[in-house]
Amino acid sequence: QVQLVESGGGLVQPGGSLRLSCLASANIFSINTVVWYRQAPGNPREWVATFTNGAPTPTRYADPVKGRFTISRDIDRNTVYLFMTNLKREDTAVYYCKVNDRRLGVSWGQGTQVTVSS
């Protein structure tokens, strides 16, 4: 599997913004779909956003984050981003990135904590 490292989480006030990063140890995002998930305390893990490799409209979002979150990728930096705006308390969770490579298999990052609070 490939190593994935999320970063960029932290404490932010409601209405604020954060940009999360998912850095890969190999040039994997250029050829694979990448997915962001999150898990809040006491809740199951839920899907947040997907960047589908090769798709004409590559981005998809879960309903709770539509219009507020943006997923993007920088192939040269082996990095996928999740830009979050107008953050709500309900967005508080640990955010994870995931990729499934044909040869390397499924890889998960360790997660980065996002806390939205006054």
Side-chain angles (χ1 to χ4, degrees), residues 78-93:
N78 295 332
T79 303
V80 171
Y81 302 99
L82 185 68
F83 183 51
M84 309 181 296
T85 64
N86 192 24
L87 284 162
K88 305 175 179 180
R89 298 183 191 275
E90 309 92 87
D91 297 318
T92 296

Side-chain angles (χ1 to χ4, degrees), residues 1-4 28 33 37 45 97-109:
Q1 65 179 16
V2 66
Q3 296 292 114
L4 302 177
I28 193 170
T33 293
Y37 296 88
R45 184 179 62 204
C97 61
K98 172 198 171 185
V99 65
N100 187 356
D101 182 79
R102 181 176 299 171
R103 300 179 66 182
L104 300 177
V106 178
S107 299
W108 288 87

Side-chain angles (χ1 to χ4, degrees), residues 1-7 21-25 28-29 33-39 44-50 94-101 104-112:
Q1 65 179 16
V2 66
Q3 296 292 114
L4 302 177
V5 179
E6 300 97 335
S7 62
S21 299
C22 177
L23 175 65
S25 62
I28 193 170
F29 296 141
T33 293
V34 63
V35 187
W36 282 99
Y37 296 88
R38 68 186 182 186
Q39 186 167 21
R45 184 179 62 204
E46 65 174 341
W47 169 67
V48 175
T50 298
V94 177
Y95 285 72
Y96 303 89
C97 61
K98 172 198 171 185
V99 65
N100 187 356
D101 182 79
L104 300 177
V106 178
S107 299
W108 288 87
Q110 85 291 341
T112 185

Side-chain angles (χ1 to χ4, degrees), residues 1 3 13-15 18-19 28 30 34 40-41 46 54 57 63 71-72 74-75 82 92 94 105 109 115:
Q1 65 179 16
Q3 296 292 114
Q13 293 183 334
L18 284 175
R19 187 183 72 170
I28 193 170
S30 62
V34 63
E46 65 174 341
T57 53
D63 286 341
I71 186 172
S72 62
D74 187 331
I75 293 175
L82 185 68
T92 296
V94 177
T115 302

